[in-house]
Amino acid sequence: MCERATIVMGVETSCDETGVALVEDGTRILSNVVASSERFHRRFGGVVPEIASRKQVEVISAVAQDALEQAGVAWPRLDAVAVTYAPGLVGSLVVGVGFAKAIAFAHSLPLVAVHHIEAHIYSHFLATGSQPGKIGKIGTGTDFRRNQEPVPIFPEFPFLALVVSGGHSDLIAVRAHGDYELLGRTRDDAAGEAFDKGARLLGLGYPGGPAIDSAARGGDPRAHELPRALVPGSWDFSFSGVKTALARYLRETPQAERLSTEDLAACYQEAVVEPLVGKSVAAAQTLGFDRLMVGGGVANNTRLRRVMAERAREAGIEVRFPPPELCTDNAAMVAAAGYFRYRRGEVAGLDLDAYASARV
Ligand code: KG4
Ligand code: ZN
């Protein structure tokens, strides 16, 4: 007889997204609904926390209903509810945590608390059947050969995880499920924050990462040298210097003498990508990791994917990126991380709180 699968509902509201997903056995996505309030923030050039949390309160019930309907699953079939409790915008986290607690109480479900960075790491454990052609292309760890049935190839432990997002640039040693050691982090701006601020300086709009990524395609990354902060003697990163250098260049160079926006975008992108790749590959080599799992919104950067893949190949390190929709914030990764915690019996109480910052 087949054992009944465990279905976990994931809830993610750490920034401007409202995500609810249903995931089976921590690996198979049944549904993954993400509503973004991005368009309401655009004219302010960045996320306005108050707007984000108000929109989340408005839509979270409908997003959860959608996730259930898309999966064809009813409330009584759920086994647990997992929620991001930290880190992020506290007003937004509170919405997700409050919602998940209400669900847990009303449906007598175990509640599981998930750290947002841990969730990004678990995006590598997911397989999705929705777009087999698209997913599985760039070392996603998903094998589609058997009758187009997505079969997740779990990353083997131990591995090194690089989580690069709007709020984080963390290098983490992952030795087993739930066993994390933070090796390096940013000393100032996160990589995504650097992209967003750089795009703003270049007049490329918000969100800046994808805008710089596409502008840079038409530019020469060697047209102008921007500084790379190496932070010697540690695995930490620093990205505020490159932003300041770009601001100074724009201030001191008359419009007529400036490089094109495409060239500047390419040079700026290179100055963010280079230390991410250099440090991650060097850390893997020095510390003896054969595998490197990259995640977070910045993992969608085309140049990062290409340079990281090349450099890792040269160093004999396996590198994987999740499919694009699992790099940016989503609730499927929260459900995946939650499932493995739930299996270990790590259940939270209904007094669970939200925290703007917390260590993974
Ligand atoms: O993981 P994520 O969705 O949210 C956070 O946890 O912060 O990451 C969002 C960040 C933003 O800063 C966005 O500009 C960046 O990821 N991003 C990119 C790209 N796509 C998204 N950065 C560089 N290149 C991209 N293609
Ligand atoms: Zn994130």
Side-chain angles (χ1 to χ4, degrees):
M1 205 181 82
C2 259
E3 228 181 274
R4 191 181 110 130
T6 301
I7 301 181
V8 176
M9 172 179 271
V11 179
E12 162 63 44
T13 60
S14 67
C15 193
D16 58 334
E17 272 94 11
T18 308
V20 179
L22 296 194
V23 172
E24 206 175 69
D25 291 338
T27 57
R28 276 183 76 90
I29 299 177
L30 302 179
S31 63
N32 188 16
V33 182
V34 183
S36 171
S37 59
E38 184 195 297
R39 68 192 171 95
F40 298 100
H41 307 285
R42 210 170 285 151
R43 72 188 171 103
F44 301 102
V47 174
V48 182
E50 186 66 19
I51 296 178
S53 52
R54 280 172 190 273
K55 291 291 166 198
Q56 282 159 330
V57 170
E58 278 173 32
V59 303
I60 194 157
S61 297
V63 170
Q65 209 53 53
D66 260 16
L68 288 163
E69 277 167 27
Q70 284 185 25
V73 167
W75 289 110
R77 178 62 185 84
L78 297 184
D79 294 291
V81 56
V83 62
T84 305
Y85 75 98
L89 303 173
V90 81
S92 291
L93 288 163
V94 160
V95 177
V97 168
F99 180 76
K101 288 203 283 197
I103 296 302
F105 180 71
H107 299 280
S108 303
L109 290 170
L111 177 70
V112 185
V114 170
H115 190 284
H116 184 71
I117 300 302
E118 174 183 35
H120 274 298
I121 295 170
Y122 274 85
S123 60
H124 288 279
F125 287 79
L126 290 164
T128 127
S130 55
Q131 293 162 297
K134 196 169 144 207
I135 297 155
K137 250 200 231 157
I138 317 172
T140 62
T142 306
D143 185 345
F144 287 95
R145 280 169 297 183
R146 262 205 290 153
N147 309 323
Q148 291 294 297
E149 260 298 290
V151 181
I153 308 171
F154 287 163
E156 266 178 62
F157 295 112
F159 59 81
L160 203 56
L162 174 70
V163 179
V164 270
S165 68
H168 294 268
S169 308
D170 290 349
L171 203 48
I172 301 156
V174 185
R175 298 204 168 82
H177 285 296
D179 180 350
Y180 316 112
E181 185 192 350
L182 183 64
L183 301 174
R185 58 184 173 80
T186 181
R187 296 262 175 110
D188 37 58
D189 293 350
E193 197 180 349
F195 274 113
D196 294 334
K197 288 177 175 171
R200 201 168 172 175
L201 289 169
L202 292 171
L204 288 172
Y206 170 84
I212 291 201
D213 195 342
S214 63
R217 271 175 221 149
D220 175 7
R222 286 170 304 277
H224 179 71
E225 185 75 17
L226 288 168
R228 283 112 167 103
L230 298 175
V231 201
S234 86
W235 302 116
D236 285 350
F237 303 101
S238 165
F239 297 108
S240 74
V242 64
K243 171 199 64 193
T244 311
L246 177 64
R248 193 181 318 119
Y249 172 89
L250 293 170
R251 203 171 50 239
E252 293 172 358
T253 317
Q255 190 104 34
E257 291 166 32
R258 274 185 210 163
L259 290 166
S260 67
T261 303
E262 286 74 19
D263 279 346
L264 286 173
C267 295
Y268 190 81
Q269 177 174 263
E270 206 66 5
V272 176
V273 164
E274 192 49 53
L276 288 175
V277 174
K279 275 250 155 115
S280 308
V281 172
Q285 283 182 307
T286 309
L287 304 172
F289 288 90
D290 297 335
R291 289 166 287 272
L292 176 60
M293 306 293 142
V294 189
V298 179
N300 276 344
N301 184 264
T302 323
R303 184 79 184 149
L304 176 67
R305 285 186 177 233
R306 181 164 320 132
V307 179
M308 190 72 97
E310 279 169 17
R311 225 55 89 63
R313 197 182 317 114
E314 284 161 17
I317 295 160
E318 181 199 356
V319 65
R320 290 189 193 176
F321 291 88
E325 67 275 23
L326 296 180
C327 285
T328 46
D329 287 349
N330 66 87
M333 63 186 191
V334 178
Y339 165 80
F340 288 98
R341 277 197 179 271
Y342 170 62
R343 270 203 0 187
R344 296 197 298 274
E346 295 173 19
V347 172
L350 288 178
D351 57 349
L352 176 68
D353 221 334
Y355 299 91
S357 61
R359 289 209 130 191
V360 65

